[in-house]
Amino acid sequence: MNSWIVTYLWFVPAAPFVASLIILTLSNARRRSAAALAIAGQIAALAMSILAFGQTLQTPGFRVVQNFTWFTFGEQALRLGFVFDPLGAAMLLMVALAGLCIFVFSVGYMAEDKNFTRFFAYLSFFSGAMLGLVIANSLLLLFIFWELVGLASYLLIGFWIERPRAAEAAKKAFITTRIGDMGFFLGILWLYGRSGTLLFYDRGNGCLESAGLAMLGASATFIALLIFCGAVGKSGQFPLHVWLPDAMEGPTPVSALIHAATMVAAGVFLVARVYPLFSLGPINGVTPSLTVVVWIGVTTALMAALIAIAQADIKRVLAYSTVSQLGLMMVSLGVGGVAAGIMHLLAHGFFKALLFLGAGSVIHGCHGEQDIRKMGGLRRLMPVTFFTYAVGMMALSGVPFFFSGGWTKEEILHATASWAPSHAPYYLILAGVVLTALYMTRQVIYVFFGNPRATAEHAHESPRAMTMPLIVLALCAIFFSVVLTPAWPWLHGYLTGEPVHFEIARLIQPMLFVSLVLVGGGVAAGIWIYRKAGAPERDRPAEIDPLEYAQPALFRFLANGMWIDELYDRTVIAFSWASARLSDWMDRYFWDGLVRGFGAIAQLFGIFTTSVGERGINAGVDETTVGTRGLGRLISAAHSGQIQTYLGAVAIGMLALLLLYAWLA
Amino acid sequence: MTPTLQAFLIVSTALFSIGLLAALSRRHAIFILIGIEMMLAAANLNFIAFWRFGPHHQPPIGVMIALFSIAIAAAEAAVGLAMVIAVYRHYRTTNVDQLDQLRG
């Protein structure tokens, strides 16, 4: 079965790529055409995605593939391809739509920037790479787009290259993700070595299909874990999450794109895409690799949620919340709730883009201020931003019933609760839900409530180019829940290929009350703790966080990200410094000494041969010359020019011959 | 007393030695030429003597050779004297000690 849609699917990533290339050739002054091109490319990609999405609705479990040979070497051919299935289709739609909103927002946000055209070129490139990643049908092709996404994130995080912190954050993001990608690449090689193909689906011979999986055997666990390394790096999971908060140095739309639609989603998507590798094996869906995924996810989710409570930068709070939510998705994938994880990924894509763009709008309104302690009272000054941000906050906190995030989180809780090996992840995630509600309440209170402080007094609402995407994304965050409810779990059925029925009775479930209580508790605790945040209270000065006032040591521990950066500084980085020093020393003294030693030996040999040449051969030649000259002088002395002497010699010779004759005869 | 071959040979050897001595010791070019003529005369005397005392002493053969030899000697003397005159014109001397242009 080969549908037209997969044949032309490559247009989807190609449109932003082409736009990006054209924008790169434009001069800096042509801002309007750059923005128009980028948005046009994104609209084209979105339109193609919607068309393609329409195709997948016809049959459940729809999947088409289009493979082609990249190049042949010897007997073997390296084949790449595109695949289109519900997973890819849903991701395509989300990436294209969230991307479009972010593009439009950027027109307003970056209006003052002098490198406006370059920014849009990078954005389009980023979007194209991510769209390509989603539809790749080969682990190698996926890896190529994966690295392009990494490159684009590097370029965008370090977009304000004149700021040293941005440049360092870009380097950190690139290097940290590269550590994970190293494992990913090893996994690819191992997989290719075992199965001989990197295609996911290839009429039963792909590495994710039964024939391919059968060849893997016990190595599947290790391959899956190596591939998971890549996902850990890209999706900011513990212990490689350190780059994600620093990535906030980039422009805010970039943060939105990285944290919502593209980069971090790639890791979760990768695990979902190669899920058969993870789940290969026995016992009711519990494999060693999936267990690792669960525990990494739980650690990340809880740790990042704790750290988020103590952050002062509006974007860093959101960054840690992203890390935490990604951990949640990983848990969901690990316990077997693939659909739940992907649903949360999609919902998160919308509301996290909304939150980041809202934060961008706040920063824009406050003239570049990012410290939430200096804001306050913005709900009256920036009403549109406030309402949309509140929607995002409630979706992220998981307020049930009206917001997409609530439904998907419930699905995840469901999946985790029924995980056979242990109940610990379930309870830890419940704690994470409370913490999420707490830190989001804290942030909203700091930013939007109370009285305007410091910079917030002159805040203004953002232009329409920025508020429109906010409204669109807020509506997405709300109405997306229509397809998520247990009463009509359309998206769940769409992703898993199961038929769905509308049944209103399933809308009310015990889990609903659990999350209601947890989220309500988190929000209430937040309101109680931070009711006077930003204002002086008894002997606490206004600029001190209430939590910091109560527990200074704990607060500092969390505010510094649990000292993990410092830990890496003292261990990994110190180690690589030391090894660099050692290598330097080895180079300078050991290897250089060896080279110098060889040089000295050669020099000695040279001196030796010189002396042999001088004293032996040259002297011999000289002696010969002198001898020859002496002989010549002797002979030339005989040539006196006196004819009579010659004649005498002839006479003597004749006499001698005569005597000889006489003697002989 | 009948003349014998030895007597002729002794005479010719003496003549040759005197000529050689003259050619080697005189400084004047003309005397050297005279010495050479004497050695040539010694050679002619040997021809005649070996013919006369040899096994085939028919009248013309030895005499003919001697006559030819004397003719060649005359030509040679003419050339030699001409060279002496040329040398003298060039170097203004006929002393062979000063004619050392052939020195190597």
Side-chain angles (χ1 to χ4, degrees):
Chain A
M1 179 175 70
N2 218 342
S3 138
W4 60 270
I5 196 70
V6 73
T7 315
Y8 297 106
L9 202 58
W10 58 273
F11 278 131
V12 179
F17 271 135
V18 170
S20 163
L21 282 179
I22 298 175
I23 295 169
L24 275 179
T25 63
L26 295 179
S27 71
N28 257 354
R30 306 194 56 187
R31 295 161 161 261
R32 289 178 65 88
S33 24
L37 260 172
I39 291 173
Q42 196 67 13
I43 287 176
L46 180 62
M48 282 291 293
S49 307
I50 291 173
L51 268 179
F53 182 73
Q55 292 282 306
T56 64
L57 295 177
Q58 291 163 0
T59 41
F62 179 90
R63 173 176 294 135
V64 284
V65 292
Q66 165 97 353
N67 296 327
F68 57 91
T69 304
W70 186 20
F71 58 79
T72 27
F73 47 97
E75 296 284 294
Q76 295 198 321
L78 195 57
R79 297 169 73 206
L80 304 178
F82 296 115
V83 63
F84 198 62
D85 56 2
L87 175 65
M91 286 291 292
L92 265 194
L93 262 191
M94 192 275 284
V95 172
L97 184 56
L100 182 60
C101 291
I102 292 165
F103 278 39
V104 174
F105 182 88
S106 307
V107 176
Y109 191 81
M110 301 299 283
E112 319 273 299
D113 202 279
K114 61 180 187 299
N115 291 315
F116 189 82
T117 52
R118 183 161 65 92
F119 184 74
F120 274 93
Y122 289 171
L123 271 193
S124 286
F125 177 62
F126 202 164
S127 169
M130 188 65 196
L131 291 168
L133 189 152
V134 168
I135 56 168
N137 185 35
S138 154
L139 206 51
L140 186 65
L141 188 59
L142 194 148
F143 188 69
I144 292 170
F145 283 117
W146 179 274
E147 293 300 328
L148 289 181
V149 168
L151 169 65
S153 72
Y154 170 77
L155 292 173
L156 282 170
I157 294 170
F159 180 73
W160 285 320
I161 197 73
E162 66 277 7
R163 300 183 188 177
R165 281 172 60 103
E168 268 172 29
K171 268 191 288 183
K172 187 172 178 183
F174 199 70
I175 292 168
T176 313
T177 50
R178 214 57 349 110
I179 294 169
D181 292 351
M182 184 74 201
F184 185 14
F185 194 61
L186 289 177
I188 291 176
L189 294 181
W190 197 340
L191 181 67
Y192 190 72
R194 296 292 299 206
S195 68
T197 178
L198 288 175
L199 290 174
F200 295 138
Y201 303 101
D202 182 22
R203 299 210 186 85
N205 298 319
C207 63
L208 296 186
E209 289 167 311
S210 50
L213 286 176
M215 275 189 273
L216 295 180
S219 57
T221 304
F222 301 104
I223 294 172
L225 284 178
L226 282 172
I227 292 177
F228 184 59
C229 284
V232 165
K234 212 62 142 192
S235 283
Q237 299 295 292
F238 178 82
L240 296 181
H241 66 281
V242 286
W243 67 270
L244 235 170
D246 286 24
M248 295 300 109
E249 293 299 331
T252 307
V254 173
S255 310
L257 204 53
I258 290 178
H259 285 230
T262 57
M263 180 135 169
V264 296
V268 178
F269 173 80
L270 173 69
V271 175
R273 178 57 98 195
V274 299
Y275 199 72
L277 282 180
F278 282 88
S279 63
L280 181 65
I283 335 137
N284 48 27
V286 181
T287 60
S289 41
L290 284 180
T291 312
V292 171
V293 174
V294 170
W295 285 109
I296 294 269
V298 169
T299 316
T300 311
L302 207 59
M303 190 187 72
L306 280 171
I307 295 174
I309 290 178
Q311 296 303 312
D313 186 321
I314 184 167
K315 282 167 73 182
R316 282 180 90 88
V317 175
L318 295 177
Y320 276 109
S321 103
T322 304
V323 175
S324 164
Q325 296 300 309
L326 289 165
L328 204 60
M329 294 170 210
M330 286 296 182
V331 174
S332 176
L333 293 175
V335 298
V338 184
I342 293 301
M343 281 156 65
H344 194 56
L345 177 64
L346 297 173
H348 177 261
F350 287 123
F351 65 68
K352 191 47 72 69
L354 166 61
L355 283 172
F356 266 112
L357 295 188
S361 174
V362 167
I363 295 168
H364 191 74
C366 293
H367 310 286
E369 182 57 59
Q370 300 200 6
D371 191 335
I372 55 173
R373 288 170 301 191
K374 295 181 183 162
M375 297 172 180
L378 292 181
R379 71 181 185 282
R380 280 186 297 273
L381 296 167
M382 305 176 78
V384 181
T385 307
F386 168 63
F387 279 114
T388 51
Y389 202 88
V391 169
M393 170 261 176
M394 283 188 274
L396 174 59
S397 308
V399 173
F401 231 77
F402 298 108
F403 302 100
S404 54
W407 296 112
T408 53
K409 228 171 227 186
E410 246 168 69
E411 284 255 3
I412 293 177
L413 291 177
H414 258 300
T416 317
S418 53
W419 197 48
S422 166
H423 279 295
Y426 174 60
Y427 294 115
L428 290 172
I429 282 181
L430 291 182
V433 172
V434 178
L435 289 172
T436 307
L438 180 64
Y439 66 70
M440 283 316 289
T441 310
R442 167 179 179 262
Q443 193 192 30
V444 167
I445 288 176
Y446 260 119
V447 174
F448 293 103
F449 289 91
N451 291 318
R453 299 179 291 275
T455 51
E457 283 165 10
H458 307 291
H460 57 83
E461 183 59 282
S462 302
R464 282 175 66 82
M466 290 164 74
T467 52
M468 283 309 292
L470 289 178
I471 294 169
V472 171
L473 284 170
L475 292 178
C476 284
I478 294 173
F479 288 106
F480 192 50
S481 50
V482 171
V483 294
L484 298 172
T485 62
W488 191 55
W490 179 84
L491 187 61
H492 192 283
Y494 173 71
L495 287 172
T496 55
E498 295 159 4
V500 291
H501 311 285
F502 182 75
E503 202 176 321
I504 194 76
R506 280 189 301 187
L507 196 58
I508 310 298
Q509 294 192 353
M511 202 57 83
L512 194 65
F513 296 103
V514 172
S515 44
L516 196 61
V517 169
L518 293 175
V519 173
V523 172
I527 291 172
W528 186 74
I529 296 174
Y530 296 103
R531 64 191 183 282
K532 296 253 176 85
E537 180 187 20
R538 287 198 292 268
D539 53 344
R540 180 177 66 83
E543 66 275 10
I544 301 279
D545 192 281
L547 198 66
E548 187 179 5
Y549 179 68
Q551 293 283 339
L554 179 68
F555 189 85
R556 269 186 59 225
F557 176 63
L558 295 178
N560 286 296
M562 297 197 176
W563 306 115
I564 287 176
D565 268 334
E566 284 73 10
L567 180 73
Y568 287 169
D569 238 13
R570 299 280 192 292
T571 55
V572 182
I573 295 170
F575 173 73
S576 57
W577 263 109
S579 47
R581 287 239 173 78
L582 182 69
S583 312
D584 181 53
W585 186 87
M586 287 286 281
D587 244 15
R588 267 177 213 277
Y589 299 103
F590 183 72
W591 297 114
D592 201 43
L594 269 185
V595 172
R596 274 163 200 270
F598 279 119
I601 290 172
Q603 258 182 354
L604 279 178
F605 184 70
I607 291 169
F608 172 71
T609 50
T610 312
S611 73
V612 166
E614 287 286 333
R615 311 238 166 85
I617 297 170
N618 263 15
V621 173
D622 283 355
E623 283 303 310
T624 313
T625 317
V626 169
T628 312
R629 274 172 72 181
L631 196 65
R633 213 170 281 138
L634 213 64
I635 293 171
S636 84
H639 280 263
S640 60
Q642 302 288 337
I643 295 182
Q644 287 173 313
T645 320
Y646 302 165
L647 195 59
V650 170
I652 290 166
M654 205 175 73
L655 197 64
L657 282 175
L658 214 62
L659 286 175
L660 186 71
Y661 176 75
W663 179 60
L664 283 178
Chain B
M1 171 186 139
T2 339
T4 60
L5 182 59
Q6 273 90 351
F8 283 97
L9 288 184
I10 288 167
V11 172
S12 85
T13 304
L15 197 55
F16 184 87
S17 300
I18 293 165
L20 183 62
L21 190 67
L24 287 180
S25 58
R26 302 303 298 212
R27 291 288 173 268
H28 201 284
I30 302 271
F31 283 102
I32 292 172
L33 271 181
I34 291 170
I36 291 171
E37 289 301 321
M38 283 173 77
M39 290 190 312
L40 212 56
N44 284 342
L45 186 60
N46 266 12
F47 269 126
I48 296 293
F50 279 116
W51 167 70
R52 177 64 185 82
F53 293 98
H56 315 284
H57 39 87
Q58 286 90 352
I61 299 167
V63 182
M64 287 304 287
I65 289 175
L67 277 177
F68 268 107
S69 177
I70 290 167
I72 290 167
E76 182 242 304
V79 172
L81 281 173
M83 278 174 70
V84 170
I85 290 167
V87 166
Y88 178 76
R89 280 193 182 154
H90 196 260
Y91 294 102
R92 288 275 149 203
T93 179
T94 52
N95 185 349
V96 289
D97 277 351
Q98 289 165 22
L99 300 177
D100 56 355
Q101 290 268 299
L102 287 176
R103 192 178 55 212

